[in-house]
Amino acid sequence: MVFLVKLVEVVLLLALFGCSPWTVWSSTLCKHTTNLEQVRPHSVSITEFGAVGDGLTLNTKAFQNAIFYLNSFADKGGAKLFVPPGRWLTGSFDLISHLTLWLDKDAVILGSTNPQDWPVVDPLPSYGRGRELPGGRHRSLIYGQNLTDVIITGNNGTIDGQGSIWWSRFRNKTLDYTRPHLVELMNSTGVLISNLTFLNSPFWNIHPVYCSQVTVQNVRILAPPDSPNTDGIDPDSSDNVCIEDCNISTGDDLIAIKSGWDEYGIAYGRPSTNIIIHRLVGKTETSAGIAIGSEMSGGVSEVHAENIQFYNSYNAIRIKTSPGRGGYVRNIYVSNMTLTNVDIAIRFTGLYGDHPDDGYDPNALPVIEKITIKDVIGEKIKTAGLMEGIEGDNFVDICLSNINLNVSSNYPWKCSHVKGYSDLVLPEPCEPLKERIFPEHCSDCYYLSNHLQSSNNQNRAGQISGEIRS
């Protein structure tokens, strides 16, 4: 009898492999974008513009003047600004196209602790206001808009936002405007951020918004576990984004994919799509390893996350949305994930709330569909899944495959207003997800659909099943 059970499991695994597509879509994007780094024909050091790396002298003018000078080489192959060893205190400064900002391994760019060195700029049109407060927001430490071919890299140099003063103002409710990010690039194409350490961001760390062809590679992002809203990497209304080989430990989501907030995001209408996440390692005691939302009103689709490790974390995978968001989250694929000491492995939240103002339409319901999570193992997990959709707006085609979690809770799954399918999931999933993927629902599951292979494997599975019965 044990042999027959094992044989059936093997057949199911073969069938599930038969659902898989012929090509690996996610690998091509990252291979293409990693070719962005190039040698610049012109190079200067920040010291040539009077910068002093003593951690005390404010070097904002030096950075601004250096980049203004280098702009003359934009049509001559671009230029590199070299930051040598030292502690280079600065306020916010702008980048230009065809620029490489390169940090030596012992170079630290320090964000000023004076809020006046972070100018206030208009809110994002897809948000309608600052994310934390109505009105404007402080510009990021390193900023740029309408750029092409921008590289921020080095030999593991450091960008330190010195965010504690901002966290205190947030907790004390003494902020005048929304806190700044460490890096924000808007409406830009061909961006590479690599081989750096980001520390203590006042708010989100890396925020590409309205961007295309963005690679974030080999970065380490660190902030204290109780630092508020210090997201790691937040692709926002951006497409063709590749995030690879990153180690992140912060006080909020490690990666949060966004696309605008309620009526403003719906009106702006720019989705986040074609987003690849490979080899991500990290922890967050308060939030999620990979989150989608809660601002997702422009839509999020075609997200592939593979080879993921989360430990000592609150949630692993989370989708956050709410009535009033509108938009959609669809075609999401997470595979080969290892979890250790995680409170909730999979979490969907349909009533997140948190609206920019009273102008949102409560009848603007989000569409959440075709979410595939497969090949997951976990130890010291409290809850396998907490999946809460929206009454009258079910989250559908949720597909779970080959998941094995060591769960301490007596109620490992809690589900409402969701519908989907599963195979080889332990502990056994909740009733709305118990219907098997194979063979009838293979095509309902994102990235598991290949009708020719499915048909062949269905025939083979039928033959073996008949042999077992006989």
Side-chain angles (χ1 to χ4, degrees):
M1 184 62 186
V2 173
F3 169 77
L4 293 180
V5 170
K6 291 294 183 183
L7 185 56
V8 170
E9 289 181 354
V10 170
V11 171
L12 281 170
L13 277 172
L14 290 171
L16 288 170
F17 288 135
C19 290
S20 300
W22 290 98
T23 60
V24 180
W25 166 82
S26 62
S27 64
T28 55
L29 171 66
C30 291
K31 287 179 181 177
H32 173 73
T33 54
T34 51
N35 293 327
L36 285 170
E37 189 166 6
Q38 57 180 283
V39 176
R40 306 291 191 188
H42 305 279
S43 177
V44 298
S45 170
I46 190 63
T47 57
E48 298 175 44
F49 297 85
V52 179
D54 60 3
L56 300 173
T57 304
L58 189 67
N59 296 296
T60 310
K61 285 294 183 183
F63 278 99
Q64 291 172 341
N65 290 340
I67 290 171
F68 179 81
Y69 168 75
L70 293 175
N71 198 36
S72 62
F73 300 102
D75 59 350
K76 302 178 180 66
K80 179 170 83 171
L81 177 57
F82 174 67
V83 183
R87 295 173 64 79
W88 309 92
L89 183 69
T90 181
S92 174
F93 62 90
D94 288 11
L95 302 182
I96 56 173
S97 294
H98 310 295
L99 175 75
T100 297
L101 177 64
W102 204 97
L103 280 69
D104 182 87
K105 66 181 177 64
D106 295 317
V108 182
I109 293 179
L110 288 172
S112 169
T113 56
N114 185 348
Q116 293 183 357
D117 294 325
W118 307 67
V120 176
V121 296
D122 291 336
L124 294 170
S126 57
Y127 283 68
R129 48 159 279 185
R131 183 59 185 84
E132 297 182 294
L133 293 169
R137 63 208 181 94
H138 287 280
R139 190 171 63 182
S140 63
L141 183 64
I142 299 173
Y143 180 77
Q145 61 176 323
N146 303 316
L147 304 183
T148 302
D149 177 24
V150 178
I151 299 172
I152 305 170
T153 189
N155 186 18
N156 198 33
T158 299
I159 299 172
D160 185 344
Q162 301 199 97
S164 60
I165 186 173
W166 298 94
W167 308 334
S168 295
R169 294 184 69 193
F170 171 80
R171 294 186 183 107
N172 297 334
K173 299 184 178 179
T174 57
L175 288 170
D176 297 318
Y177 302 97
T178 293
R179 289 173 287 158
H181 312 306
L182 274 187
V183 176
E184 181 178 79
L185 298 175
M186 294 177 56
N187 292 302
S188 298
T189 302
V191 175
L192 173 63
I193 301 172
S194 68
N195 300 98
L196 293 171
T197 295
F198 294 84
L199 294 179
N200 302 322
S201 178
F203 197 37
W204 306 344
N205 280 265
I206 299 173
H207 185 222
V209 57
Y210 320 139
C211 288
S212 295
Q213 299 175 26
V214 177
T215 296
V216 182
Q217 196 173 58
N218 293 313
V219 302
R220 184 174 60 157
I221 301 175
L222 302 174
D226 62 344
S227 57
N229 310 109
T230 50
D231 289 11
I233 305 168
D234 286 11
D236 196 341
S237 291
S238 294
D239 59 83
N240 297 309
V241 177
C242 176
I243 300 168
E244 285 191 319
D245 300 302
C246 295
N247 191 313
I248 307 175
S249 175
T250 67
D252 209 310
D253 298 323
L254 308 185
I255 293 177
I257 303 168
K258 302 173 180 291
S259 66
W261 199 7
D262 284 9
E263 71 268 29
Y264 303 104
I266 293 170
Y268 196 80
R270 176 156 180 174
S272 283
T273 187
N274 289 0
I275 296 178
I276 307 306
I277 303 166
H278 285 160
R279 297 178 298 280
L280 171 67
V281 178
K283 67 172 182 175
T284 169
E285 295 179 8
T286 60
S287 297
I290 297 174
I292 299 177
S294 73
E295 312 91 334
M296 39 62 67
S297 302
V300 176
S301 68
E302 277 68 49
V303 176
H304 283 216
E306 303 179 53
N307 301 317
I308 310 297
Q309 297 181 48
F310 298 135
Y311 61 97
N312 300 345
S313 294
Y314 186 39
N315 304 303
I317 302 297
R318 190 176 186 188
I319 295 174
K320 300 181 281 187
T321 187
S322 182
R325 288 289 191 272
Y328 55 84
V329 175
R330 65 167 63 102
N331 296 351
I332 310 299
Y333 178 84
V334 179
S335 74
N336 195 12
M337 182 166 62
T338 301
L339 309 177
T340 306
N341 194 28
V342 172
D343 283 6
I344 305 171
I346 303 168
R347 187 174 186 182
F348 297 167
T349 305
L351 299 175
Y352 193 78
D354 196 16
H355 303 286
D357 52 38
D358 294 332
Y360 71 94
D361 177 5
N363 296 315
L365 299 178
V367 175
I368 312 298
E369 62 183 2
K370 289 190 175 293
I371 315 295
T372 295
I373 301 174
K374 66 185 288 285
D375 300 337
V376 180
I377 59 173
E379 293 292 331
K380 298 182 180 178
I381 310 300
K382 289 184 180 177
T383 300
L386 179 56
M387 310 174 82
E388 301 165 322
I390 300 172
E391 186 175 2
D393 182 33
N394 284 359
F395 299 177
V396 298
D397 293 338
I398 312 302
C399 297
L400 309 177
S401 170
N402 193 31
I403 296 174
N404 194 325
L405 303 174
N406 181 352
V407 176
S408 60
S409 171
N410 292 328
Y411 303 95
W413 296 87
K414 299 177 183 178
C415 303
S416 60
H417 311 299
V418 297
K419 181 70 175 71
Y421 316 99
S422 63
D423 277 311
L424 302 175
V425 176
L426 290 174
E428 190 173 84
C430 50
E431 194 63 36
L433 302 177
K434 278 188 177 179
E435 193 171 352
R436 282 189 159 170
I437 296 171
F438 178 81
E440 291 88 357
H441 298 290
C442 204
S443 61
D444 296 320
C445 298
Y446 176 63
Y447 211 62
L448 292 178
S449 176
N450 185 295
H451 297 293
L452 177 61
Q453 284 185 311
S454 294
S455 175
N456 291 339
N457 280 286
Q458 286 177 34
N459 292 337
R460 174 158 176 75
Q463 294 172 0
I464 296 176
S465 178
E467 293 170 1
I468 290 174
R469 286 195 299 269
S470 61

